[in-house]
Amino acid sequence: MPDFTKSKLAWSLTWDADWVTSVAFLGPTRRVAAGNNLGQILVWELPDQVGSPAPKPILRLDGHSNVVSSLAATPDGKTLLSASYDHTIRYWDGAAMAAPSETIPLNAAAIAALKGRSGKIPALLEAKVGIVKPSRTLDAHREWVINLDLARDGTTFVSGDDAGQVIVWDREKATIRKQWKVKGWAYAVGLSPDKKQACVSERYPVVFDSARHAGVKLWNAETGELIRDIGEPFKKAYLSAAAYSPDGKLLALGRGGETETAKVALLDPGSGKLLADLTPGHLNGITDLAFHPDGKHLASTGRDTVVRIWNTESKKLVAEVGKPRGGQFKDWLHALSWSADGKWLAAADMAGAVQIWNFA
């Protein structure tokens, strides 16, 4: 098992076309994919060793026309799923190979921002990438698809949109197994490992974060019937992230929004009972949660640009990576993904990069 106290920022993969909003390792491969606010998706092939030169992207996945809100890959890495504000979910060949055919800039925004100022202008970073088209497009959603969660066996996933539509999909057949509607935006969704339960956090469309935003419920993913409302402990903040542990015995929820301190909550998904609030909390809202493959550790991140790693058995903070960089309106880390071997962690950085940490 990796030593979480010995972390190293292996690479900061520059990509400043816009905010980087989503990230996913592709199964057991060395590939990592990231999406941004423009609907673009890039794929990198990471070196095996820390200290190797930072890689450049090898592929661009073309198809989305709006924010890529979520990425998830099947355990074998052969299929990548993407959800977008363009109302679609798309499938991509995770093992795709395409001859380099288009040159893209990687730090053009940074250079433009520095023009006219004193000091040295960095050299333009470019990469020649192959272009890949989606293998399948799902268009059952009629509004922004805000999130999706893929079951750990890769056979089933759940998606939610800002019209409150929740859909449970057969991933292989690309067909709808069950769907239902909630009152607010289906803002954060999670699917239990046995695919029998779905957690849906609702966010209501009001200007300021308040109790009116709060709403989190557990649903029977097979029948679409409500199991229970577990929103009572979360009345003062909406839930921005949900993740089930690999064994299904824990449900982690992240408080989002512009709260002063946002904590990770651990619940028993069977009873809905709140087991613990993990402290210290993140400053100004959590954006994503990701269980480590060992099932005993959880990573959390948010608007404070810090990643915290927790032991979910002891409920203690094990390690912290990254540093605060100036506040919630300057930098966020939007999303997290662990590699299959648990030794690497990727983060989608609002500042225009994909951060890759290694754990010895």
Side-chain angles (χ1 to χ4, degrees), residues 79-341:
T79 302
L80 176 70
L81 301 176
S82 59
S84 172
Y85 286 9
D86 67 9
H87 308 175
T88 70
I89 296 166
R90 298 179 192 251
Y91 288 44
W92 311 87
D93 179 0
M97 298 295 291
S101 60
E102 187 168 332
T103 300
I104 60 172
L106 299 175
N107 65 339
I111 291 173
L114 291 171
K115 283 185 177 178
R117 301 183 185 181
S118 59
K120 186 177 180 181
I121 302 296
L124 178 65
L125 293 179
E126 295 180 325
K128 199 163 188 178
V129 296
I131 307 301
V132 175
K133 298 295 184 181
S135 58
R136 176 172 278 164
T137 299
L138 308 181
D139 59 2
H141 286 283
R142 295 292 177 263
E143 296 295 339
W144 292 357
V145 187
I146 301 174
N147 216 326
L148 69 78
D149 189 37
L150 178 66
R152 291 191 173 266
D153 65 4
T155 63
T156 309
F157 68 95
V158 61
S159 58
D161 66 33
D162 74 348
Q165 196 70 37
V166 180
I167 303 178
V168 178
W169 301 85
D170 183 306
R171 196 270 308 170
E172 294 170 319
K173 296 178 181 178
T175 55
I176 295 174
R177 288 184 173 175
K178 183 58 62 175
Q179 66 184 78
W180 64 91
K181 198 173 187 303
V182 299
K183 292 182 179 179
W185 303 342
Y187 198 76
V189 297
L191 186 63
S192 63
D194 64 7
K195 298 159 286 189
K196 294 181 179 180
Q197 186 183 97
C199 176
V200 181
S201 165
E202 299 173 48
R203 180 181 178 183
Y204 298 95
V206 296
V207 176
F208 298 105
D209 297 333
S210 69
R212 288 182 292 167
H213 279 272
V216 56
K217 299 179 177 69
L218 300 179
W219 299 84
N220 185 314
E222 298 175 318
T223 67
E225 296 176 346
L226 178 65
I227 298 173
R228 64 176 49 86
D229 186 333
I230 55 172
E232 183 63 29
F234 310 108
K235 282 188 172 181
K236 294 184 179 180
Y238 68 85
L239 280 298
S240 55
Y244 286 86
S245 61
D247 63 6
K249 294 181 179 180
L250 286 176
L251 171 60
L253 299 174
R255 295 171 173 87
E258 299 169 15
T259 54
E260 183 176 345
T261 302
K263 296 178 182 178
V264 178
L266 294 181
L267 292 86
D268 176 349
S271 65
K273 180 182 178 182
L274 178 65
L275 302 176
D277 272 329
L278 303 182
T279 56
H282 287 271
L283 179 65
N284 300 128
I286 290 166
T287 55
D288 200 18
L289 301 168
F291 271 96
H292 187 268
D294 70 5
K296 299 177 182 179
H297 293 87
L298 173 73
S300 63
T301 196
R303 301 184 184 209
D304 56 6
T305 64
V306 170
V307 178
R308 293 201 172 106
I309 299 173
W310 311 87
N311 183 309
T312 57
E313 293 181 336
S314 68
K315 314 297 191 296
K316 300 295 185 182
L317 179 65
V318 174
E320 186 173 279
V321 265
K323 296 179 180 179
R325 294 200 306 257
Q328 61 167 322
F329 297 112
K330 297 181 70 174
D331 286 324
W332 298 0
L333 295 182
H334 277 282
L336 296 172
S337 179
W338 288 102
S339 62
D341 63 8

Side-chain angles (χ1 to χ4, degrees), residues 9-15 44 46 52-55 106 125 325 347 349 351-357:
L9 181 62
W11 305 286
S12 183
L13 307 178
T14 301
W15 182 29
W44 290 259
L46 300 181
S52 301
L106 299 175
L125 293 179
R325 294 200 306 257
D349 193 335
V354 179
Q355 310 293 351
I356 307 290
W357 283 280

